[in-house]
Amino acid sequence: MQRHAILCIFALLAALTSTASAAEPTKQPADPREKEVQVLLNTYFTSWSKADLLSYGKCFMPQSAIHMIEPSGRLVTLPLAPFLKTQQEAHRSNPNKMTETAERTEIRFDADLAHALVYWKLVDGERIEYGYDHFTLMKSEGEWRIANLVFYVVKPPADEASK
C-alpha cells in the first residue's frame, strides 16, 4: 500500500512537472523586419553623425514630413528638402563635430508600417542633449524609409544632469 501511494505521488509530480513546462510561454522568434528597420536606423544616426547628408537624406521618403516640438511646445513642420538644408547648415556652421547616438530603441509593426521610438543622445562639444525620435516607416522599393519623423529634446537623465 505504501508503495502504491509513493508511485501515485511520483506520477502526480511527473504530471505537474510536464504541465508546468507545457504552460510556460515559448519565446517567439524576433520579427525579421526588425533587423531591417534597425539597419535603417543605424544608417540614419551614423550618416548624420558623419555629416553625410546624401546618405542621411536617402533614409527618408521624398514626401516625408519632419516635425520638431520646440521646448515651448510649438510644433514646427518641414518638408524633407528644407529640413535637410537645416541639417547641412548645422553641421557646416558648427565648430564642433556633432554626433547623435541611439541610446534605446523600441520597434513595432502595424500592417504595412513600422514605428520606432528612439531615445537619443547628441554630443556637440561640451553641450549634450537627450531627446526622442518618433519614426513612422514604410517600405519603398523593398527598403524601409522614414515617412514621418517627430523629434524633441528632453531633460537629461539624473546622472547626467549632475555633471
Side-chain angles (χ1 to χ4, degrees):
M1 182 123 178
Q2 268 187 333
R3 183 176 173 167
H4 180 68
I6 292 172
L7 287 175
C8 284
I9 291 171
F10 278 126
L12 182 60
L13 286 174
L16 288 173
T17 305
S18 66
T19 304
S21 304
E24 291 177 19
T26 55
K27 188 172 182 175
Q28 296 297 321
D31 189 321
R33 299 174 297 175
E34 196 168 319
K35 183 178 179 183
E36 295 172 355
V37 168
Q38 193 59 60
V39 166
L40 170 70
L41 295 174
N42 291 345
T43 301
Y44 171 89
F45 285 101
T46 301
S47 60
W48 189 89
S49 295
K50 291 180 177 178
D52 175 1
L53 277 294
L54 184 62
S55 296
Y56 180 72
K58 289 179 182 178
C59 294
F60 294 85
M61 299 284 297
Q63 312 86 338
S64 293
I66 295 85
H67 311 277
M68 179 184 74
I69 301 173
E70 294 180 335
S72 67
R74 185 174 87 108
L75 180 67
V76 177
T77 302
L78 290 173
L80 182 58
F83 172 73
L84 291 175
K85 284 184 182 186
T86 67
Q87 300 306 292
Q88 184 176 33
E89 182 58 26
H91 279 288
R92 189 190 66 70
S93 65
N94 196 317
N96 303 311
K97 178 180 177 3
M98 296 184 291
T99 59
E100 190 175 59
T101 55
E103 300 289 298
R104 193 171 57 244
T105 303
E106 298 172 27
I107 300 169
R108 69 179 176 87
F109 298 91
D110 297 313
D112 294 334
L113 298 177
H115 304 277
L117 172 61
V118 179
Y119 177 68
W120 49 259
K121 176 181 180 180
L122 170 71
V123 177
D124 175 9
E126 295 292 313
R127 183 176 71 94
I128 298 176
E129 281 186 348
Y130 293 85
Y132 284 96
D133 284 343
H134 294 255
F135 296 97
T136 301
L137 311 163
M138 62 183 286
K139 279 211 169 177
S140 172
E141 299 176 10
E143 302 281 330
W144 288 101
R145 298 282 181 254
I146 300 164
N148 187 278
L149 167 61
V150 178
F151 69 96
Y152 50 91
V153 173
V154 297
K155 292 180 181 176
D159 61 335
E160 287 292 322
S162 61
K163 290 182 182 178

